[in-house]
Amino acid sequence: MGDWYKADLAYIHDIGYGDFADQAAVEILVCFQAHQIELGLVVDLGCGSGIWADHLVQAGYQVLGIDISEAMIELARNRVPTAEFRMESLFTASLPTCQAVTALGEGLNYLFDAEHNSSRLGSIFQRIFDALESGGLFLFDLVEPGQVEQGQVSQGFREGDDWMVLVEKQEDLEKMILTRRIITFRQEGRLYRRDEEIHRQQLYNAEEIAEQLSQIGFQVQISNAYGEYELAIARKAITARKP
């Protein structure tokens, strides 16, 4: 469905950045228990390589994972064969009745899908509200402006035993767009294969998103963390409960 999170970047993201899903999962499960969500179906939007889905299945939940990346879906199916995974856009996917919906890792910010624009958020929020059982939860994190100073470009890298990733970021505050240029190197035999992806994210203000959710009928809380796990700069976690 697009040239995003192809095989090499999906592999690198899974092995090199999976700590986010692992650490957030522990705290979100505590949140589920606090809201008496102890079983049933959880819909995981932008499920990635299935790390969070694996935590859910081990805790006794049913899982439907949705992601636009074919490579990510393949990793998820291999990791959690007992869960259901579908390759499609989270902005157009039909949602079954469920106890919780999650979108971890900035899934609602990504502009991978031609259907994604700020005016469509209200539509997906309404579909999530309608799909949730009474007392159900919608948990997600999003990116706000502030990762990079206006007019500046940030650069960084990370490496593992058989891979390296270089990331260049810049923000356009007029259009509220964050652009990431991602260059990957993955070892194959004695050589390294190079690939490149451009990811664009629509930046949002968490307070404005919370207001949209409230108008639909959710009870909303904004935080800088999932429980005890603090998010990185310019990220917010939102917990929305259907009364």
Side-chain angles (χ1 to χ4, degrees):
M1 296 183 70
D3 293 328
W4 307 289
Y5 285 105
K6 292 175 287 185
D8 287 350
L9 183 55
Y11 168 81
I12 290 169
H13 193 276
D14 177 62
I15 198 170
Y17 294 82
D19 56 332
F20 168 80
D22 272 325
Q23 295 181 63
V26 174
E27 300 297 332
I28 296 172
L29 287 173
V30 171
C31 179
F32 280 7
Q33 295 294 318
H35 287 85
Q36 288 80 52
I37 299 175
E38 300 176 352
L39 49 80
L41 177 64
V42 178
V43 177
D44 185 15
L45 302 177
C47 63
S49 60
I51 295 173
W52 166 226
D54 191 25
H55 282 271
L56 285 166
V57 167
Q58 291 187 47
Y61 297 92
Q62 297 172 286
V63 179
L64 168 60
I66 296 170
D67 203 284
I68 201 169
S69 164
E70 182 178 4
M72 284 294 200
I73 288 293
E74 182 178 355
L75 289 172
R77 286 172 175 161
N78 289 334
R79 172 174 275 121
V80 199
T82 57
E84 178 186 355
F85 296 99
R86 303 198 315 235
M87 189 184 75
E88 57 185 316
S89 166
L90 62 88
F91 289 95
T92 57
S94 60
L95 304 178
T97 300
C98 56
Q99 281 62 50
V101 176
T102 59
L104 310 186
E106 310 161 11
L108 293 177
N109 291 94
Y110 281 104
L111 294 171
F112 292 160
D113 184 348
E115 299 292 332
H116 181 184
N117 57 66
S118 57
S119 64
R120 288 188 65 89
L121 283 184
S123 174
I124 189 172
F125 291 162
Q126 184 65 60
R127 288 192 294 112
I128 291 169
F129 185 88
D130 293 342
L132 286 171
E133 297 276 12
S134 296
L137 292 179
F138 174 32
L139 283 84
F140 64 100
D141 51 87
L142 53 76
V143 184
E144 295 186 305
Q147 285 190 48
V148 186
E149 289 187 23
Q150 177 73 354
Q152 300 296 311
V153 176
S154 73
Q155 296 177 321
F157 77 95
R158 189 179 292 191
E159 61 182 334
D161 291 339
D162 60 352
W163 59 270
M164 176 180 287
V165 61
L166 314 175
V167 182
E168 181 179 271
K169 297 189 293 187
Q170 56 184 342
E171 289 185 6
D172 181 340
L173 293 184
E174 288 189 10
K175 297 180 179 179
M176 290 285 281
I177 298 290
L178 171 69
T179 300
R180 292 191 181 111
R181 179 186 178 211
I182 305 170
I183 300 173
T184 60
F185 297 90
R186 184 177 176 189
Q187 188 172 11
E188 186 173 3
R190 298 179 61 185
L191 302 178
Y192 279 80
R193 180 174 55 243
R194 181 190 186 278
D195 200 4
E196 181 173 340
E197 298 189 23
I198 303 294
H199 294 181
R200 296 169 65 245
Q201 290 184 310
Q202 183 72 54
L203 301 172
Y204 294 111
N205 179 285
E207 294 288 347
E208 294 176 359
I209 296 299
E211 179 60 27
Q212 287 189 51
L213 292 163
S214 296
Q215 289 178 2
I216 290 171
F218 282 107
Q219 299 168 340
V220 186
Q221 292 182 323
I222 302 173
S223 177
N224 295 316
Y226 284 123
E228 298 297 319
Y229 178 57
E230 293 189 7
L231 301 181
I233 186 172
R235 276 86 164 182
K236 289 289 192 297
I238 295 181
T239 302
R241 181 180 178 272
K242 180 175 179 176

